[in-house]
Amino acid sequence: MSSDTAPSQDPRDHGTGHGPGDPCAGPDRTGLWSVDEHLADILATVRPLDPIELPLLDAQGCVLVEDVTVPAALPPFDNSSMDGYAVRVADVAGATEEYPAVLTVVGDVAAGAGGLPEVGPGQAARIMTGAPLPPGAEAVVPVEWTDGGAGEGAATGMRAASAAPEGAAGEVRVHRAAEPGAHVRRAGSDVRAGELALAAGTVLGPPQLGLLAAIGRGTVRVRPRPRVVVLSTGSELVQPGEELGPGQIHDSNSFALAAAARDAGALAYRVGAVADDAESLRATIEDQLIRADLLVTTGGVSVGAYDVVKEALTADGQVDFRKLAMQPGKPQGFGAIGPEQIPLLALPGNPVSSYVSFELFVRPAIRALMGLGDLNRPVVRATLKADAPLTSPAGRRQYLRGTYDAESGTVTPVGGAGSHLIAALAHADCLLVVPEDRTGADPGEELDVVLLG
């Protein structure tokens, strides 16, 4: 066995409330489960992960489990939005290029400064962006509206500001008037104390983490990102970068599914391909349970002589293997394994089958573990744009690859229906859905489209 990542040292408890759920329905008289029934069975078992307290950066991508209120106004004080001069409005009223207001500079105010100089009649204080507005001042005039102080150029004057001693005297000529509050960020203009900063259920991205830091939160209570272990099976599989022998192919499924798990919000661990041996597979799965909130296998779920996932996981009855009324992705497995009853989804081995199955079943399970309410990809109606009618097997819900044009509201098939056509999948951004009660669709007809982007 090979693995891309060392075993997780995450100390989190595995008590996630997993356990085999009672099937929400079951197979019909043909022995097939519907897509909706299989998904409902999965979601009846998967429970959101227990909340934990995490430092801000570790909480990126996690879901907030509590409302966060603002402890103090943001910004906490009136401050300048420009480099310039803090002034009284009356002192610069009517100022022009020809008749500038000449003010005495009483000091400098830098960001983080204390002991602020008071600005009286006929006075100004040189001020930096973000610095607190000194008492007596009512507005800030940008340095570009002045001569930079004592006849110096604007750039020279501002460069000298940081080096000038507090209380340094001088003059500045202001050649434009300013309204009250000009270029001043008022205290509480962003958020006020007691207001809701972020609501429970928010996914924490960079802007949300920035807001939490700005209001002084160093940690936050969240549902952690689920740890998803992805492993593929098959003695024919070779790692990318290695030379192929007779009858061998490169393992693509584990890379696609690990990337899809990350895209869904999980922490993904990709395990190298496991040979077609039931004992090796059982040992690998048991070894991976320590770092998994969800296990995903691909391959070995059909009825062939070497379908080892089925052989390895049916003995104890914890994983149920079933046939679904869908194409691609008819064979599926689902259950909960190990002492902690970690959910396991066993997907088919064909690349398109495994990816479509991931989107329909694994992605919603990951988002359920995160505690999100919106579990599925968005679905829109689009007009089929094709040169010929589509065909679909009777009694099966078919998922075809396509490209969606939002501007025209059309969808165009990409590639054929074969479950091995991974190149077509790479160029698709949606799945066209032909319902179970249809055996095809004509150009110009409206279909449901699952958006993957």
Side-chain angles (χ1 to χ4, degrees), residues 64-132:
L64 192 64
V65 297
E66 60 183 354
D67 290 343
V68 175
T69 56
V70 180
L74 189 67
F77 50 82
D78 293 352
N79 68 90
S80 176
S81 66
M82 302 284 287
D83 288 346
Y85 290 84
V87 299
R88 290 158 43 97
V89 171
D91 291 335
V92 295
T96 64
E97 290 278 358
E98 186 177 2
Y99 300 104
V102 181
L103 305 176
T104 301
V105 179
V106 296
D108 296 324
V109 185
L116 305 178
E118 184 166 356
V119 177
Q123 296 179 336
R126 192 152 40 190
I127 192 168
M128 306 297 112
T129 302

Side-chain angles (χ1 to χ4, degrees), residues 219-302:
T219 63
V220 66
R221 191 162 178 78
V222 296
R223 295 195 191 279
R225 295 169 66 190
R227 298 163 298 175
V228 177
V229 173
V230 177
L231 61 91
S232 52
T233 63
S235 298
E236 78 280 10
L237 299 178
V238 174
Q239 296 304 301
E242 297 179 8
E243 188 174 346
L244 294 176
Q248 293 182 324
I249 60 173
H250 287 121
D251 173 20
S252 62
N253 284 359
S254 64
F255 286 90
L257 299 186
R262 290 179 183 176
D263 183 66
L267 298 171
Y269 302 101
R270 191 195 71 86
V271 179
V274 181
D276 289 320
D277 177 76
E279 286 303 317
S280 296
L281 178 60
R282 274 193 287 265
T284 300
I285 290 175
E286 184 175 342
D287 181 56
Q288 295 299 319
L289 288 175
I290 191 173
R291 62 170 178 175
D293 296 309
L294 178 68
L295 278 162
V296 179
T297 69
T298 173
V301 297
S302 191

Side-chain angles (χ1 to χ4, degrees), residues 235-447:
S235 298
E236 78 280 10
L237 299 178
V238 174
Q239 296 304 301
E242 297 179 8
E243 188 174 346
L244 294 176
Q248 293 182 324
I249 60 173
H250 287 121
D251 173 20
S252 62
N253 284 359
S254 64
F255 286 90
L257 299 186
R262 290 179 183 176
D263 183 66
L267 298 171
Y269 302 101
R270 191 195 71 86
V271 179
V274 181
D276 289 320
D277 177 76
E279 286 303 317
S280 296
L281 178 60
R282 274 193 287 265
T284 300
I285 290 175
E286 184 175 342
D287 181 56
Q288 295 299 319
L289 288 175
I290 191 173
R291 62 170 178 175
D293 296 309
L294 178 68
L295 278 162
V296 179
T297 69
T298 173
V301 297
S302 191
V303 292
Y306 296 101
D307 288 324
V308 296
V309 174
K310 202 168 184 179
E311 178 185 348
L313 298 177
T314 53
D316 54 12
Q318 290 180 306
V319 178
D320 180 32
F321 290 87
R322 53 188 63 156
K323 296 177 181 178
L324 271 59
M326 65 179 286
Q327 187 185 59
K330 179 179 178 181
Q332 300 283 337
F334 169 65
I337 63 173
E340 305 294 342
Q341 292 291 279
I342 304 300
L344 181 145
L345 279 82
L347 311 183
N350 280 317
V352 177
S353 300
S354 68
Y355 184 75
V356 170
S357 299
F358 181 98
E359 287 292 337
L360 297 180
F361 307 123
V362 183
R363 193 174 195 275
I366 289 173
R367 293 176 69 80
L369 287 168
M370 296 175 68
L372 290 167
D374 184 13
L375 303 182
N376 300 301
R377 292 282 198 184
V379 177
V380 299
R381 296 286 287 178
T383 302
L384 177 61
K385 183 179 178 181
D387 296 329
L390 303 179
T391 60
S392 183
R396 306 283 179 86
R397 186 181 301 180
Q398 188 175 48
Y399 294 88
L400 297 168
R401 280 72 69 203
T403 55
Y404 173 65
D405 185 340
E407 186 173 344
S408 64
T410 60
V411 61
T412 305
V414 175
S419 57
H420 65 292
L421 301 175
I422 192 170
L425 181 62
H427 293 91
D429 59 14
C430 68
L431 298 175
L432 294 75
V433 184
V434 181
E436 295 92 328
D437 60 354
R438 299 290 306 278
T439 56
D442 295 321
E445 185 177 339
E446 276 200 346
L447 295 174

Side-chain angles (χ1 to χ4, degrees), residues 168-189:
E171 287 185 343
V172 64
R173 287 171 170 77
V174 180
H175 46 74
R176 285 182 64 176
E179 297 294 326
H183 305 295
V184 175
R185 303 165 178 153
R186 293 298 184 189
S189 58

Side-chain angles (χ1 to χ4, degrees), residues 25-72:
D28 60 18
R29 56 187 178 82
T30 67
L32 299 178
W33 288 64
S34 74
V35 171
D36 299 332
E37 289 165 349
H38 183 60
L39 177 59
D41 193 29
I42 293 168
L43 297 181
T45 297
V46 174
R47 296 288 182 268
L49 297 172
D50 291 334
I52 58 176
E53 193 83 14
L54 287 178
L56 291 188
L57 287 180
D58 292 340
Q60 183 173 357
C62 297
V63 177
L64 192 64
V65 297
E66 60 183 354
D67 290 343
V68 175
T69 56
V70 180

